Amino acid sequence: MHACTIRELTKEYVLKSETVRALRGVSFNVPEGDYVAIMGPSGSGKSTLLNLLGCLDQPTNGQLLLGEDDVATMTDDQLAEIRSRRIGFVFQSYNLIQQLTVVENIQVPLYYQGRLGVRERDRCIDLAHRVGLGDRLDHRPAQLSGGQQQRVAIARALVNDPAIILADEPTGALDSRTSEEVMAIFDQLNREGITIIL
């Protein structure tokens, strides 16, 4: 089975009187459990494609299947449900909430689902330990290095047991040693069967 299937996907943006074609008929499959890197020069549509895969935007044309669900035709509410239950995001800029602790940042996706019990908090603590932040549970992002902040973002992406993790340049702001450590986490997650697209 495929984690996602993309057929003739296009995305156009109309800016004033100009139409920008960010994607032009992209087609490929990602089997479940695969580890895929999307590569290309700046401006080639990589982030646009990840936004579509992550249900943050909808294509202009084409078909986009996540599992068996055609998300290209879904409503905003349906897309939000898919995002919250089946997709984990890791961004280059971490996107952590500065006022929250490590555990609270990991818990943010659960908050939007109204899942804030003791069991959910314990899961967030377990995930913090898993990414090597067990001794930083009450720290805020400003008290963490870039690599540690990215580890929080990875744990947050895992909190809903996603079928797919989408990572948009997850090591772009990190030094080479820290990048290797972060990529080792992705490697381990993939060995455990999680589909990763970065």
Side-chain angles (χ1 to χ4, degrees):
M1 177 143 176
H2 294 300
C4 66
T5 302
I6 297 162
R7 297 188 185 118
E8 293 299 317
L9 206 63
T10 64
K11 181 63 182 178
E12 297 177 351
Y13 299 97
V14 177
L15 306 173
K16 297 183 182 175
S17 61
E18 179 185 6
T19 299
V20 176
R21 290 176 179 82
L23 295 176
R24 303 174 189 214
V26 175
S27 297
F28 65 93
N29 298 320
V30 178
E32 283 185 358
D34 216 348
Y35 196 156
V36 175
I38 299 170
M39 300 171 66
S42 180
S44 63
K46 301 181 302 294
S47 293
T48 297
L49 180 57
L50 281 183
N51 285 341
L52 294 174
L53 290 171
C55 302
L56 295 171
D57 200 357
Q58 289 186 296
T60 306
N61 287 300
Q63 188 174 41
L64 172 54
L65 302 174
L66 291 181
E68 297 179 0
D69 296 319
D70 187 353
V71 298
T73 61
M74 288 186 174
T75 66
D76 287 344
D77 287 344
Q78 290 170 320
L79 292 173
E81 179 68 17
I82 294 279
R83 276 194 307 270
S84 71
R85 304 252 178 224
R86 295 175 49 194
I87 300 169
F89 294 94
V90 180
F91 301 97
Q92 179 178 353
S93 57
Y94 322 129
N95 290 355
L96 301 179
I97 299 172
Q98 296 300 312
Q99 296 81 6
L100 301 182
T101 66
V102 165
V103 172
E104 291 165 344
N105 265 289
I106 295 169
Q107 202 168 14
V108 164
L110 300 176
Y111 170 81
Y112 288 109
Q113 296 176 20
R115 296 169 53 203
L116 295 173
V118 172
R119 190 176 72 195
E120 287 81 9
R121 182 170 173 79
D122 287 346
R123 172 158 172 70
C124 295
I125 291 169
D126 289 345
L127 285 169
H129 281 278
R130 181 174 180 186
V131 298
L133 295 173
D135 59 344
R136 302 275 193 272
L137 300 178
D138 294 321
H139 286 64
R140 296 197 182 339
Q143 299 169 304
L144 302 172
S145 69
Q148 290 169 330
Q149 290 184 61
Q150 193 60 292
R151 288 168 185 264
V152 175
I154 292 169
R156 180 186 58 198
L158 293 171
V159 77
N160 285 328
D161 290 319
I164 300 174
I165 290 183
L166 302 174
D168 194 358
E169 298 189 39
T171 60
L174 305 176
D175 61 58
S176 59
R177 186 175 136 268
T178 307
S179 294
E180 288 176 12
E181 292 170 358
V182 167
M183 291 308 295
I185 294 172
F186 284 118
D187 293 345
Q188 179 59 39
L189 294 172
N190 181 249
R191 283 193 293 274
E192 294 169 11
I194 297 176
T195 304
I196 298 176
I197 304 175
L198 53 84

